Amino acid sequence: LFGRFRCAKRPAAEPKGEVRIRIVSDSHVVDINGPNTCEVLDPAEAMALVSRIGPDVLRADADPDRAFARISKSRTSVGQLIMDQSVMAGIGNIYRSEILWRQRIHPHVPGQRLARADFDRIWDDAVTLLERGVKANAIITVEGAKKSKSRYGERVNIFAKDSCPACGGAISGLAMRVSLSSRRMIWSSRRQIQLADLAL
């Protein structure tokens, strides 16, 4: 999620910024700037890393049953589970908040209480939104919207908003420990009431 690839024809200028790896061919130079983790892996190590990743919602051959099997056995909240890359790969904090809002599912619902039909809606919406994001090169979760003129071009319904566009209710936020860092989880206090009592 962090870092940048820079490609230039040879001869290339001196590296700029925090270049972690420079790859040089006969004709081009590729610099990889600033990722949090950057390692060279042999084939066995690469396969071991890939095997730890959950099904990627952007892959045509992804297996949603594998993700649901993990979720349905867990007491952890669905809000944490769908952002755990070992459960479902590809969903970040903004997509998590937007997908659960769009599907009217409270983020505190334990995974084991999530119905298969609700999971299927989460999965299908993730596919729709992430494919749209790849095409637009921006996170766009508002139906019919185009990229904004902001730095990242985002168009979102509730993330970092004060009120819900559907019900007018207040947007709630809670800092949660998820994976390696504390991330803010956002939901609508009125709209996302489905199964909320089960989370208590």
Side-chain angles (χ1 to χ4, degrees):
L1 295 179
F2 299 96
R4 182 174 180 181
F5 287 85
R6 288 190 168 94
C7 183
K9 289 184 178 179
R10 291 188 68 184
E14 287 296 308
K16 290 183 180 179
E18 296 183 40
V19 174
R20 305 289 191 204
I21 292 180
R22 172 167 271 203
I23 302 169
V24 181
S25 75
D26 291 339
S27 59
H28 288 79
V29 173
V30 176
D31 287 340
I32 304 173
N33 284 71
N36 290 346
T37 302
C38 191
E39 300 175 63
V40 176
L41 304 177
D42 66 30
E45 291 169 329
M47 286 308 299
L49 177 64
V50 169
S51 70
R52 296 200 313 258
I53 301 171
D56 185 336
V57 297
L58 285 175
R59 288 183 60 106
D61 62 352
D63 182 7
D65 292 341
R66 195 170 132 221
F68 183 68
R70 287 278 306 273
I71 290 171
S72 65
K73 294 174 185 172
S74 179
R75 294 181 181 178
T76 302
S77 72
V78 68
Q80 285 184 260
L81 288 166
I82 69 169
M83 210 172 85
D84 180 338
Q85 301 301 296
S86 70
V87 176
M88 284 174 69
I91 297 176
N93 199 27
I94 297 174
Y95 278 121
R96 167 185 59 183
S97 297
E98 294 290 312
I99 290 166
L100 293 178
W101 176 83
R102 284 165 56 98
Q103 300 310 316
R104 299 185 77 157
I105 295 172
H106 197 285
H108 286 159
V109 174
Q112 62 187 8
R113 303 283 180 94
L114 186 71
R116 178 62 196 241
D118 292 331
F119 168 78
D120 289 341
R121 292 195 342 264
I122 289 171
W123 180 274
D124 292 345
D125 205 28
V127 171
T128 297
L129 293 182
L130 270 69
E131 285 180 347
R132 181 187 298 168
V134 169
K135 186 175 181 181
N137 195 28
I139 297 174
I140 300 175
T141 63
V142 178
E143 292 303 319
K146 299 197 181 298
K147 285 175 73 168
S148 72
K149 294 182 179 178
S150 68
R151 179 179 177 188
Y152 298 110
E154 295 170 352
R155 292 278 190 187
V156 295
N157 293 289
I158 67 161
F159 194 85
K161 302 287 176 80
D162 294 324
S163 62
C164 173
C167 70
I171 299 299
S172 302
L174 176 67
M176 292 186 59
R177 175 70 47 188
V178 179
S179 187
L180 299 176
S181 61
S182 184
R183 305 296 296 272
R184 192 169 175 222
M185 187 165 63
I186 296 171
W187 71 94
S188 168
S189 54
R190 286 186 197 163
R191 179 178 169 89
Q192 288 169 262
I193 59 172
Q194 179 182 354
L195 302 178
D197 58 321
L198 298 177
L200 302 176

